[in-house]
Amino acid sequence: MESVRATVWPMLVLWTVAVGVSVSYCCAPAFASVLEPARQWLSDLGWSGAWLVAAGLCGLLPGVFQIAQRPLRPRRPILTILAQTVLFGFEGALCYEFYRLQAGWFGGDASFPTLVKKTLVDQFVWTPLVIVPINATLFFWIARNFSLTRVRCERPKSWFGNVILPNLWAHWCVNVIPNLALYAFPPALQIQLVGLVCAFWTLMCFQVALRSGASERRS
């Protein structure tokens, strides 16, 4: 929650942009036509295109902010950016296939019941079982400068309570509203919108990881 409070204004901007883009796409055909080349490009490439989008937006772009802002700069910036790029590229490919599955399960329409169903499965099944455990574990390691010795020494007694759960709460605080908005788009555009969301989420994961287990160490 400290990490959420520290980034509350970027989070509000993120929500506004996500909802605004979604409404514009659904209500303004001219805006939808502008995004058509991006949709076609990712449709042609499939999961490999999703890897490129997620790696660029969620790994490289946040890395630029991390290097440019001294308070956010990690001690090993190049290795941190490389790890983020590989991780989110992999997750982007996974999410692309997951979004396609969701479209098969619930349909491709943008009705409110469909958006709610997809969001519930995403946030309360896919996210806690797949995305958050991967992110929490890797960023706990990254935040300790890739030192396995520090990971062993600073690992909290309750991994779920001090590492997984804080990441899950922060994820829900930040991503539920943008997630509801992104399902208004076809799968080929969903991964590009979620890439914009995760550009901010990468910074949040790093901040949560820095604070994970702090109470355990003080005790």
Side-chain angles (χ1 to χ4, degrees):
M1 293 310 297
E2 290 176 3
S3 300
V4 171
R5 285 194 295 268
T7 51
V8 64
W9 287 110
M11 181 172 62
L12 293 175
V13 171
L14 172 68
W15 287 352
T16 302
V17 171
V19 173
V21 170
S22 179
V23 171
S24 298
Y25 182 83
C26 294
C27 300
F31 183 80
S33 66
V34 170
L35 298 181
E36 178 60 24
R39 187 204 65 79
Q40 187 60 52
W41 173 78
L42 195 56
S43 295
D44 293 340
L45 288 180
W47 69 265
S48 60
W51 196 101
L52 291 172
V53 169
L57 292 176
C58 307
L60 295 177
L61 182 59
V64 172
F65 285 103
Q66 287 172 308
I67 291 176
Q69 300 292 321
R70 184 174 295 275
L72 298 178
R73 189 179 303 164
R75 292 187 179 181
R76 306 180 71 177
I78 301 302
L79 190 55
T80 298
I81 294 171
L82 178 61
Q84 292 173 176
T85 300
V86 173
L87 168 67
F88 284 108
F90 171 71
E91 289 188 356
L94 283 181
C95 287
Y96 177 76
E97 296 300 330
F98 173 69
Y99 295 155
R100 293 180 62 197
L101 283 176
Q102 288 252 71
W105 295 337
F106 303 115
D109 64 280
S111 65
F112 187 71
T114 299
L115 300 184
V116 170
K117 291 175 186 176
K118 291 180 177 179
T119 298
L120 289 176
V121 173
D122 187 312
Q123 293 297 301
F124 297 100
V125 180
W126 174 253
T127 292
L129 294 181
V130 179
I131 298 300
V132 164
I134 294 174
N135 285 351
T137 301
L138 185 67
F139 276 97
F140 190 85
W141 179 45
I142 291 175
R144 279 138 193 90
N145 303 319
F146 300 90
S147 170
L148 293 178
T149 299
R150 284 192 61 188
V151 169
R152 286 194 296 269
C153 292
E154 299 179 23
R155 184 184 186 276
K157 294 178 182 178
S158 173
W159 183 258
F160 178 80
N162 287 82
V163 178
I164 302 296
L165 192 58
N167 275 269
L168 185 58
W169 278 114
H171 183 97
W172 285 337
C173 288
V174 172
N175 289 320
V176 169
I177 292 178
N179 198 257
L180 186 66
L182 76 88
Y183 277 117
F185 293 79
L189 286 176
Q190 287 170 5
I191 196 63
Q192 300 185 54
L193 181 60
V194 81
L196 293 174
V197 173
C198 284
F200 167 76
W201 177 241
T202 301
L203 303 177
M204 173 69 77
C205 285
F206 191 78
Q207 292 299 309
V208 172
L210 287 172
R211 293 169 169 85
S212 294
S215 61
E216 290 281 342
R217 291 195 298 274
R218 286 195 297 267
S219 63

